[in-house]
Amino acid sequence: MAETLLKKRTFLKKALGGTVGALAAAGVRAAETKAPKVASSPPAPEVVPPQTVSESHTARMQEELRRALARPVEQRRWGMVIDLRKCVGCSACTINCAVENGLPPGVVYRPVLEQEIGTYPNLARRFTPRPCMQCEKPPCTPVCPVGATFSRPDGIVAIDYDQCIGCRYCLTACPYSSRTADFGDFFTRDVGLSPDQPYEQRDTFEYHERRNRSRHESPVGNARKCSFCVHRIENGLLPSCVTTCVGHATYFGDLADAHSAVSELAASPNVMQLKEELGTRPRVFYLL
Amino acid sequence: MNGRALSLVKTLWAVFFALGILSVAVRFASGREIAAYGGYVPWGLWVAVYVYFVGLSAGAFLLSALIYVFGIKSLEKIGKLALYVSFITLLGALVTIFMDLGHPFRFWKVYTRPNFFSMMAWMIWLYSAYFLLVVLELRLAARRDLLAAGSRGGWVAPLARLVLFNHTDTSEESFAADRRRLQVLGMLGVPLAISFHGGVGALFGVVGARPFWNASIYPLIFLGGALLSGTALLTFIVAVFWSDRGSEEHRALLGLLARATAGLLVLDVILQWAEFSISYYAAIPAHALPWKMILFGDYWWVFWIVHVLFGLVVPGLLLASPRTRHSLAGIAVAAFLIAFTFLSVRVNIVIPGLALEELAGLKTAYADSRLHFSYFPSFWEFGVTFFSYTFVMLLFYLGCRNLALLGEATAPADGGAR
C-alpha cells in the first residue's frame, strides 16, 4: 500500500512538475512573441526537463537525510529497504561498495545472492542484495571479547578497528555472514604483480577515520562489515550502494522519521526480513 | 624406548621443528595471507589444534586434581607428571592461538577492555587464572626437583631459582606444608578447570547463528573429551617413558590408567552418540547437514578412518581384548591412538559448524578465493601446527630431564649428581 502511495505521489509530482513546466515554457514563448524585439537574436528558452523517478526518489531521500542529520544522533535510526522486484542483479552496488570502502580480496560488504526459483517454464531468478542487517539485537556484538564492536546510538553496528584483536568470533556469530575478515591480501600482489596499483594504496574513510591498508595496519587483521557508509551519510551523502543502484531498488533513510520513504515502505504488507524468526530485528527490509 | 627408535624420533622431531620454525617466521613476515581459511570459514586448523591442546591440558589437570585432592595413592606418582603435561599443553594451545589472531599483540586488551557478555573473554580470563594455578601447583609439586636443578648449574639453574623465588626451605616440614597447599590449590583447581574447559565448549555452544554448535551438551562433551584425551596422553607417556618400566608397580599403575582410559572412552562415545543422534534424527538441515558433511562429505575419512577406526575401534579393542589389555605395547598403542587422533574430533567440531551456507546463494554470490565454504589447511598452517607439537615435545623432554617426572628418585638438592 505504501509503495503504491509512493508511486502515486511520484506520478502526481511528475505530472504536476511536467504540467507546470510545460505551462511555464508556453508562457515564456507567449511572452516572447508579444514582447518587442530588443536584440536581434533572443536567448534560447530554458527547457526544464520533467523530473525522472530516480531523481525524485534520490532527492526525497537526500532531503530526508538532511532532516535526520538535523536531529541528535540518538534520535536517528538508519534503515534500508530493498525492493527485490526492482533489483536486476547487476551487482553495481557490490562493486561501488568495494571501491568506496577500499575492500581487499576476501572482504565483501554487499554481495548479491542469486537464486533460481521454479522449474521451466515457470522459472524466475531472484536477486537479494545482502548488506549488514544492522540488527537491533545484534548477535555479533556481545561475543566480542574486547567490546570492539558495538551498536552506535543511531543503530549502526560499528567496529573499532584499533581495538579489534582479529579473533573472528563475531564472524561466526553473525547469522547472515555479513562479516568477513581482512587477511591482508592485495589484488595485484596476490597474482604476482608489483607494485600495488594506486587503487590499493589510496586512503579509505570508514567510520570517518583516514586509513591506508598498504601500510599493513588496521583494518588489515580486523573483522570488517558494512557500516551503511556512515562516513558518507554523516556528511549528507547517501550510502554508495544506494546511489549506484541502477534499478533504484535500494531506499535508505531514517526509520525514526515516520514520514521517511523507508518508514513508509517498511510498513508495506509485502515486506520481509532475513531470518526474522531469530529475533535479531534487522533494520534492512525487503519488498517482495 | 630403544636407542634406534629414540634417534629416529629425535631426527623426525628436528625436521618438523625446523619446518615449524620456518612456518612461524613466514606467518609473522606475511601475516595471515598464508592461511587457507577465509570470510565464510573463518576458523581453521589452528583453532582446532588450540581446542585440542586445551582439552589435553584440562584433562591432565583434572587427573592431577583427583590425585591431590582425593589422595589417590595408587596414582600419586604421576601427579607431578600430570601437572607438567597440563602446563606444557596449555602453552602449546596459547602459542597456536597466538598465530591465529589478526592482531596477536593486542591480546592484552582482553584484560583492559573487558566484555563480561563474551564467552571468549570468560574463557581467556579463566585460563589465565588456571595458568597461574598450574604454575603455582607445579612449583610446589616439583620443589625438590627445582631445588636440585637450581643447585646443579647450567642454564636451567637460574630459571629454577627464579621459579622457586625464595621458597628454598629443604626441611621435611616445609615439604609436608607444600603437600597441604597442593591439596588446597587442587581443590580450587577442580572447579576452575571444569569451568575453563566447559567454557571452551560454551564458546561454541552459545553461538546461536550456528545450529550445529548451539547445543547444551557442548560444555559436557568438551569436558568428556578433555578427560579422555588427557588421560590417554598420560597413559601413553607412562607406558613408553616411565623410569622402571615393566616393574610390578609400573604394571599396576599402567593397568589403572588403562582402565580409566577405557571407561572414559565409553563415556565419550555415549556423549558423542547423544549429540549426533539428536541432531541427525531431527533432520532439520541446519542441524543435520553438518553431520552429513562429516559422515559423507569430502573429508569423510577424518571421521571414519581417523576418529572412528583409529580413535575408537582399534584402541577400544586393544583395551578390551584379554590378550592386549594387560600388555604394555597394547596399552601404549591404544593410548597413543586415542590421544593423537583426538584432533580429528576437534577438527570435526570447528570446520563443519562453519562450512554451511548461512543464506542460500552466498556460495556463488561473490567469486573470491577466501569466500567459499570448503576448507583444507594450507601447507603453512600445517607447518605452524608442527611447531606447536614439536614445541610441546621439547618442553616435555626438558621437563623429563630436570623435574624427575617419570617416577625417578629426585636428586638431592645439595648439588649431587643425578
Side-chain angles (χ1 to χ4, degrees), chain A residues 106 113 142-147 161 163-169 171-174 177 183-185 218 220 222 275, chain B residues 32-33 37 39 42-43 100 102-103 106 109 113 115 117-118 120 203 206-207 209-210 358 362 365-366 368 370-371:
Chain A
L113 316 181
V143 301
C144 177
V146 296
Y161 286 148
Q163 305 304 330
C164 170
I165 63 170
C167 68
R168 309 179 306 288
Y169 196 18
L171 270 71
T172 70
C174 173
S177 293
F183 291 96
D185 299 318
S218 284
V220 172
N222 294 129
K275 299 190 177 181
Chain B
R32 291 173 308 163
E33 289 167 51
Y37 49 70
W43 287 347
D100 184 70
H103 286 282
R106 291 184 188 168
K109 288 179 188 281
R113 292 176 53 93
N115 176 12
F117 296 101
S118 170
M120 185 180 278
L203 181 135
V206 297
V207 181
R210 310 284 173 172
E358 290 194 296
L362 204 56
Y366 195 76
D368 191 294
R370 287 205 190 272
L371 298 176

Side-chain angles (χ1 to χ4, degrees), chain A residues 31-82:
Chain A
E32 274 170 6
T33 47
K34 284 172 190 169
K37 285 186 178 177
V38 179
S40 56
S41 56
E46 193 184 333
V47 179
V48 182
Q51 213 175 20
T52 62
V53 179
S54 65
E55 282 165 341
S56 67
H57 277 197
T58 309
R60 181 180 175 189
M61 288 190 285
Q62 201 79 58
E63 175 51 35
E64 288 168 3
L65 186 61
R66 270 195 289 274
R67 212 159 63 212
L69 289 173
R71 290 198 305 278
V73 64
E74 61 277 5
Q75 288 178 24
R76 303 171 204 150
R77 285 293 175 277
W78 299 118
M80 193 172 270
V81 179
I82 301 170

Side-chain angles (χ1 to χ4, degrees), chain A residues 5-15 17-18 49-66 86 238 242 248 250-252 260-261:
Chain A
L5 279 173
L6 201 67
K7 277 181 183 163
K8 277 181 185 168
R9 198 173 296 159
T10 311
F11 173 74
L12 282 172
K13 269 188 193 169
K14 258 175 69 181
Q51 213 175 20
T52 62
V53 179
S54 65
E55 282 165 341
S56 67
H57 277 197
T58 309
R60 181 180 175 189
M61 288 190 285
Q62 201 79 58
E63 175 51 35
E64 288 168 3
L65 186 61
R66 270 195 289 274
K86 290 183 180 174
L238 290 165
V242 178
H248 305 289
T250 303
Y251 300 84
F252 179 80
S260 67

Side-chain angles (χ1 to χ4, degrees), chain A residues 1-172:
Chain A
M1 180 61 81
E3 171 69 351
T4 319
L5 279 173
L6 201 67
K7 277 181 183 163
K8 277 181 185 168
R9 198 173 296 159
T10 311
F11 173 74
L12 282 172
K13 269 188 193 169
K14 258 175 69 181
L16 271 172
T19 312
V20 171
L23 283 171
V28 168
R29 272 195 293 274
E32 274 170 6
T33 47
K34 284 172 190 169
K37 285 186 178 177
V38 179
S40 56
S41 56
E46 193 184 333
V47 179
V48 182
Q51 213 175 20
T52 62
V53 179
S54 65
E55 282 165 341
S56 67
H57 277 197
T58 309
R60 181 180 175 189
M61 288 190 285
Q62 201 79 58
E63 175 51 35
E64 288 168 3
L65 186 61
R66 270 195 289 274
R67 212 159 63 212
L69 289 173
R71 290 198 305 278
V73 64
E74 61 277 5
Q75 288 178 24
R76 303 171 204 150
R77 285 293 175 277
W78 299 118
M80 193 172 270
V81 179
I82 301 170
D83 191 339
L84 297 186
R85 296 163 305 182
K86 290 183 180 174
C87 178
V88 296
C90 68
S91 293
C93 56
T94 314
I95 303 306
N96 199 42
C97 167
V99 173
E100 173 67 36
N101 296 295
L103 303 186
V107 179
V108 63
Y109 287 175
R110 187 180 158 113
V112 179
L113 316 181
E114 296 186 24
Q115 283 172 285
E116 253 180 31
I117 299 163
T119 49
Y120 180 83
N122 303 313
L123 199 61
R125 294 187 83 193
R126 182 164 65 200
F127 305 105
T128 312
R130 199 250 37 225
C132 171
M133 299 292 119
Q134 314 291 356
C135 303
E136 193 183 325
K137 305 266 180 203
C140 54
T141 57
V143 301
C144 177
V146 296
T149 183
F150 51 90
S151 290
R152 286 164 39 108
D154 57 9
I156 289 175
V157 177
I159 300 173
D160 186 338
Y161 286 148
D162 292 325
Q163 305 304 330
C164 170
I165 63 170
C167 68
R168 309 179 306 288
Y169 196 18
C170 57
L171 270 71
T172 70

